[in-house]
Structure formats: structure tokens, C-alpha cells
Amino acid sequence: GESVGLHLPTLSVQEGDNSIINCAYSNSASDYFIWYKQESGKGPQFIIDIRSNMDKRQGQRVTVLLNKTVKHLSLQIAATQPGDSAVYFCADYSGGYQKVTFGTGTKLQVIP
Amino acid sequence: DAGVTQSPTHLIKTRGQQVTLRCSPKSGHDTVSWYQQALGQGPQFIFQYYEEEERQRGNFPDRFSGHQFPNYSSELNVNALLLGDSALYLCASSPGVLAGLELFFGEGSRLTVL
């Protein structure tokens, strides 16, 4: 079936460095792609989204890149901080009501 | 402004029992979705409620049912519990069924089935 998956289960980054979290998707009909952050013991928190007709979107310290040719999505976090330590999920949405399909997740560990 | 609240936070049941989980959406939100998150996995969509009706359903058996009340709060019911139902159950709300994708999640109800 259609799925959204991540390349790496765990990513360790030095504090202050940039982080890049990658995601592959298979549903070419997806309208939106979304990144969520989930800290331990909490529910997922929306970070940023991107429409399928865009290839880049920037937020505060975060940038999402979309490459539809290879069905690849990435989240870049600038100047990674200890508070960025969490599991990051990419997710997609393909229309209709708000059925959002999540990937497995990447755990980001920030080394002080 | 209270966010999405869920209860109970933790519960333990045995196989074959039934469970009811509750969710109050964020103030101003009228749409509630439920997700199941197994350990180490991403959340899986169960169903969504809007205007007190189930609007969309994921790949879950009929043992999973829900309800939305006039005040927009919602319940998730699971009958005939199986060991595999052990998971974190997340409720998410939004200000309208087609209002966008910034879902607001609660902290979840951790269900353990023994």
C-alpha cells in the first residue's frame, strides 16, 4: 500500500550544527506533506508543511524541501539545539477529510 | 487556552475487555481525529468525527468505534481487546474538517492490554 517512510531511524547531531532528516514517500497523489515533532511523553506537534506544487518552504530555523521527481522530502533544522531532540515524523495528506498518513519516524539526538 | 485534553492518561485492561477513551478538543475546534501509535511507530489514523458523524475511517476493524458529542468532545471505544491493541491513543483536533492540516494533538492515553 501507499506509505511514507524514513531513511534513518536515528540521527545524532552536535549542538549548533545543522540537521537534515530525510523521508521517502510513495503516494504521488499526495497534496500536502507535513513534518511533526514528538517529544517523549507528548503528542506530535506540527512543525511545517508544504504543498505538492512547491519545492521549498522556510519557517523559523526549519526548511522543508520537496523533490517530486524522486519522491523525497527533507527537513533541515538550522543551528540544532538540545530542545530539538525528539522523534520527527514526515506525513502526507491526499485530499478529502483530514486523513494524515505518518511515517515511522527519525529520532534526533543533539549532543551538547 | 486549554489545548487538547485526553483521559485517562494510562490504563491497563485484560484481553476481551472493553475500553472508552475521552478527548476534549482545543477551544474553537469542531473536528476530532483519533490515531493509534504503537511503540516505535508513527501514528495510524483510526477515524475522524465532524458534526457528530464519522467522516473518514482508516484500516481498523469494527471493534473500534467512536462518538462525537454536541460540545465537540469525543470518545473512542474499543471492544474485545487484543494484546495488539496496546498502544498510545492520540486525539487530534482542528478548526474545521477542511480547515487545514495543522492538527493539534493531545498527549494521548496509554493503553496496556494484558
Side-chain angles (χ1 to χ4, degrees), chain A residues 32-34 36 38 41-46 49 89 93 95-105, chain B residues 31 35 37 40-43 45 48 55-56 88 90 94 96-103 105-107:
Chain A
Y32 279 93
F33 299 90
I34 314 125
Y36 285 90
Q38 186 173 25
K42 296 187 177 181
Q45 178 184 9
F46 175 94
D49 63 1
F89 294 98
Y93 165 77
Y97 294 101
Q98 293 171 329
K99 179 181 178 181
V100 176
T101 302
F102 285 78
T104 304
Chain B
T31 303
Y35 288 78
Q37 186 175 23
Q41 302 294 317
F45 177 83
Q48 181 191 65
R55 298 292 177 168
Q56 191 164 7
L88 180 67
L90 294 162
S94 64
V97 67
L98 296 176
L101 300 166
E102 188 171 349
L103 299 176
F105 283 86
E107 297 194 345

Side-chain angles (χ1 to χ4, degrees), chain A residues 14 32 74 76 93 97 107:
Chain A
Q14 202 75 34
Y32 279 93
S74 69
Q76 301 179 2
Y93 165 77
Y97 294 101
K107 183 176 182 179

